[in-house]
Amino acid sequence: MFNDSRAQDFLAVVLGAFTALSPLWLNTNSNARWTLVVLGVLIAATGLIQMARASMSSADYAMGLFGVLLFISPWAMDFTAFGGAAWTAWVVGVVTAVVAVAALPAMSQRLHNMAPHH
């Protein structure tokens, strides 16, 4: 499903860019700002790497890891009081992790086999 179009790579770039730029319009502290910027850039970079080298499945694992780190970052970096920043981290973290898992070669093959073929 995903591996044919590599739509998850483009989605990762968009999610990463959104996260990295979100401190421009969200109320943050220093921890939230740097966490969102750094993890956003890393997520976008994994998407760009996958676009350039689709056969490099390790970038999908890295994308999943960055998604999980982004999800737990409001607690780990203590910025849950900043609602917009925390919700951005939670939502983008979950979506990134789900997209990364769906893009893994083994999972992608299972999803492809489940889809009806014409």
Side-chain angles (χ1 to χ4, degrees), residues 8-26 32-48 51 63 66 70 88-89 92-93 95-96:
Q8 77 277 6
D9 302 334
F10 178 73
L11 183 58
V13 172
V14 170
L15 289 170
F18 174 81
T19 303
L21 295 173
S22 66
L24 294 174
W25 59 83
L26 294 175
R33 184 179 320 106
W34 285 109
T35 301
L36 292 173
V37 169
V38 169
L39 288 174
V41 167
L42 289 172
I43 290 168
T46 57
L48 290 171
M51 284 181 182
M63 186 190 310
F66 298 144
L70 186 61
T88 297
V92 174
V95 172
T96 301

Side-chain angles (χ1 to χ4, degrees), residues 1-12 46-47 50-51 53-64 94-112:
M1 181 174 102
F2 270 133
N3 272 357
D4 294 339
S5 68
R6 302 304 297 177
Q8 77 277 6
D9 302 334
F10 178 73
L11 183 58
T46 57
Q50 281 294 93
M51 284 181 182
R53 299 192 62 180
S55 63
M56 196 167 122
S57 64
S58 61
D60 289 326
Y61 291 103
M63 186 190 310
V94 166
V95 172
T96 301
V98 167
V99 166
V101 168
L104 292 173
M107 182 61 73
S108 184
Q109 185 61 36
R110 284 190 199 130
L111 292 172
H112 180 72

